[in-house]
Amino acid sequence: MDLRKVTADDVRSAVARFMERSGLDRFSIRAALIDMDGVLYDSMKYHTLAWQHMMRDVGVECTRDEFYLYEGMTGIATINLLFRRAFGRDADPDEGKRLYAVKTRYFHEFGDREPMPGADRMLRALIRGGIKRVLVTGSAQASLLESLESDYPGAFTEQRRVTALDVKHGKPSPEPYLMGLKKAGEEAANSIVIENAPLGVKAGHAAGCFTIAVTTGPIPADEMWKAGADLVLPSMPEFADLLPAILEMYPVN
């Protein structure tokens, strides 16, 4: 499937494949596990630039676009990935904390808070549909986490948030989404994951959830399919347009 307009029939076919793969005889949506950067906020352009600047400060050659592929990893995991490549070692814990603080400072300087077009409509549809919502992010970016309630009132309670500070293994490990399922009190068979990056898609797929990828950045749709996405949409506004129909097809029961 390419990134033409996704139809209700496409959704039915994707769900049928998911049910067959998962051994299900029925599917309903009771919970939505939702990534933050690139889904709720158009922030990846600032994250990638901040990572590149910080890494170049310490002598690590890197491209800006490669950080889109690392989205979902914890900060220290990203630092260690590039340190192993450049220096053949991990950063020590204090060094990692210091470097992540520098990356955070750059992030603020470049401009860190732009709600993603369509995200508010997506969340309102989930709220109207009675769907439990859990934030599942690989980030610990306090400025965005603290802005969620003002930007998306009532969308996420404090108890239904999973951040980089809560897990030992970030995406692509399924741990963040398994923790999200636990916080929702739901099974994977009744939950959807909403992601924008291959590592997050892999994590949602590995957790056993119906995983929806939205291509809000430069990563091509093919990478989302390869990572295990069940459905791929070209933008958040298009997903927000389609979501009410999806919820009608697979209602809470």
Side-chain angles (χ1 to χ4, degrees):
M1 188 187 303
D2 57 22
L3 285 185
R4 59 177 171 77
K5 186 174 180 62
V6 177
T7 67
D9 285 342
D10 294 326
V11 175
R12 291 188 188 94
S13 296
V15 169
R17 292 191 296 270
F18 171 76
M19 291 174 63
E20 181 177 8
R21 184 180 76 242
S22 304
L24 303 176
D25 56 11
R26 64 181 307 172
F27 176 68
S28 65
I29 300 172
R30 302 181 64 87
L33 313 181
I34 306 166
D35 184 37
M36 182 172 70
D37 292 292
V39 173
L40 300 179
Y41 289 100
D42 188 11
S43 49
M44 282 308 300
K45 56 193 174 186
Y46 303 127
H47 278 296
T48 57
L49 192 58
W51 275 116
Q52 184 187 42
H53 273 63
M54 183 276 285
M55 284 294 179
R56 285 185 171 178
D57 285 349
V58 295
V60 177
E61 281 303 313
C62 54
T63 67
R64 181 178 177 181
D65 280 357
E66 73 179 277
F67 291 98
Y68 285 99
L69 296 173
Y70 309 149
E71 182 186 354
M73 296 174 67
T74 62
I76 190 61
T78 303
I79 291 168
N80 285 339
L81 176 71
L82 273 78
F83 262 49
R84 290 184 203 117
R85 187 176 78 192
F87 308 127
R89 66 173 179 88
D90 286 346
D92 66 57
D94 288 341
E95 184 180 30
K97 289 179 182 178
R98 178 180 60 79
L99 293 175
Y100 192 73
V102 173
K103 180 263 174 182
T104 299
R105 175 171 58 81
Y106 278 135
F107 182 66
H108 288 305
E109 290 175 359
F110 297 143
D112 60 357
R113 183 179 165 193
E114 293 180 22
M116 181 67 72
D120 56 343
R121 291 194 293 115
M122 172 192 73
L123 291 170
R124 287 199 301 269
L126 293 169
I127 292 169
R128 286 194 303 269
I131 308 302
K132 298 175 183 178
R133 302 157 311 280
V134 181
L135 181 79
V136 182
T137 175
S139 175
Q141 203 73 58
S143 59
L144 294 185
L145 292 167
E146 291 167 0
S147 299
L148 281 168
E149 185 57 29
S150 58
D151 292 332
Y152 301 110
F156 303 98
T157 65
E158 290 290 338
Q159 294 72 34
R160 288 184 177 166
R161 300 183 184 188
V162 179
T163 76
L165 302 178
D166 300 313
V167 299
K168 292 183 179 179
H169 305 288
K171 304 168 187 176
S173 165
E175 181 184 345
Y177 281 115
L178 293 173
M179 186 176 291
L181 290 170
K182 186 175 181 180
K183 285 178 178 282
E186 296 292 345
E187 300 293 328
N190 295 319
S191 303
I192 60 173
V193 161
I194 302 167
E195 266 286 353
N196 74 303
L199 294 185
V201 169
K202 287 181 179 180
H205 179 85
C209 300
F210 184 84
T211 302
I212 299 168
V214 186
T215 56
T216 60
I219 298 173
D222 282 350
E223 294 302 317
M224 306 299 188
W225 293 117
K226 290 176 185 176
D230 294 291
L231 193 67
V232 181
L233 289 101
S235 72
M236 283 300 297
E238 182 165 325
F239 177 52
D241 289 344
L242 186 62
L243 183 57
I246 296 175
L247 297 179
E248 283 186 16
M249 286 188 283
Y250 307 101
V252 174
N253 55 27

